[in-house]
Amino acid sequence: MGYPLQGKRALITGASSGLGLAMAEALAEAGATVILTARSAEKLETAVACLVRRQLDAHARVMDVRDEQSIAAAVEEVRRRWGGLDLLVNNAGIGMRTVNPDFLSEPQPFYKVSAAGFRDLIDTNLTGYFLVTKAFVVLFLEQGRGKIVNITMNHATMRRKGFVPYGPSRAGTDSLSLIMAEDLREANVQVNMLLPGGATETGMIPEEHKETIKAQFGLLNPAVMADPIVFLASKASDGLTGERIVASEFPEWLRQREL
């Protein structure tokens, strides 16, 4: 999709693999400078090295979305090295397997989820979005413009048996995003949501279940996020805020809006 992004600066959390890496690659291929962040320095450096070998403008920054000092240090590096930011993509998250490794075959009721497991997932998937946006939005307010994309999931996931706390974390993402959009509307900062539109072939799905899910339901390639994230980073999406875009339905969404 032809939306040139030369001169745009984007930062993506949870970008060492899966959806985050796919979006980073798409943005860099469109000409953007892309800062990939994640907790694991090793995985991050490997991912960035692959992009750099293709002469893409990609950079690594270790950052923990649960740690305010880690986030603040990243904000200052972005300010110092790139002078600001045009797009923030909140994507870092952990899945159900952190509280129940067998969540697909043996879903467990919410009352069997440990308090520690619940807090850890919410701290990453929901509070992390809040902390990162709260810190980076300062750059957008200084510039008088900016774009934020929060990655979320299907509404069915928010109601699925055995999906506490992942479902609540993403329901919270939707509400948080809509309120952010209203809070920032007059500041010329747009906030939108993007979701794949189905189960996606990422590390959140245990390897032992991937083939079964593929056979029964199919698995989306993370590259499904490429066209919509490039669109959301581009001038074509200027003024668009509070939208919830399903990546697998993106061409039809565009057609209906004649964008």
Side-chain angles (χ1 to χ4, degrees), residues 22-42:
M23 290 187 287
E25 182 176 17
L27 291 168
E29 286 177 343
T33 296
V34 185
I35 303 107
L36 290 76
T37 79
R39 283 186 290 175
S40 169
E42 184 178 357

Side-chain angles (χ1 to χ4, degrees), residues 91-102:
N91 169 73
I94 57 178
M96 277 301 304
R97 62 191 305 181
T98 63
V99 295
N100 177 18
D102 301 315

Side-chain angles (χ1 to χ4, degrees), residues 13-14 91-95 124-125 129 166 170 204:
T13 69
N91 169 73
I94 57 178
T124 303
N125 292 18
Y129 279 26
Y166 188 77
R170 287 296 166 243
M204 287 195 181

Side-chain angles (χ1 to χ4, degrees), residues 54-151:
R54 295 172 49 204
Q55 298 185 325
L56 298 176
D57 192 5
H59 307 266
R61 170 72 202 193
V62 174
M63 186 178 81
D64 185 344
V65 301
R66 302 168 303 179
D67 185 332
E68 292 170 74
Q69 290 186 335
S70 176
I71 298 166
V75 172
E76 287 311 306
E77 181 178 2
V78 168
R79 189 198 301 274
R80 177 176 55 81
R81 292 187 63 181
W82 293 285
L85 194 67
D86 299 292
L87 172 70
L88 169 67
V89 182
N90 284 307
N91 169 73
I94 57 178
M96 277 301 304
R97 62 191 305 181
T98 63
V99 295
N100 177 18
D102 301 315
F103 70 97
L104 287 172
S105 56
E106 298 178 24
Q108 67 180 9
F110 70 91
Y111 52 84
K112 290 190 177 179
V113 175
S114 72
F118 187 97
R119 290 190 182 101
D120 187 45
L121 192 145
I122 295 293
D123 281 351
T124 303
N125 292 18
L126 181 56
T127 308
Y129 279 26
F130 164 73
L131 292 176
V132 171
T133 307
K134 176 180 171 64
F136 276 97
V137 80
V138 173
L139 300 179
F140 295 153
L141 296 176
E142 290 173 355
Q143 297 164 179
R145 58 181 173 80
K147 296 183 177 184
I148 299 163
V149 177
N150 291 331
I151 306 306

Side-chain angles (χ1 to χ4, degrees), residues 3 19 21 31 47 51 54 63 71 85-86 155 166 179 187 189 198 200 235 241 258:
Y3 296 114
L19 300 181
L21 182 55
L51 299 180
R54 295 172 49 204
M63 186 178 81
I71 298 166
L85 194 67
D86 299 292
H155 285 138
Y166 188 77
I179 295 170
V189 178
T200 313
K235 290 183 178 179
T241 195
E258 297 181 347

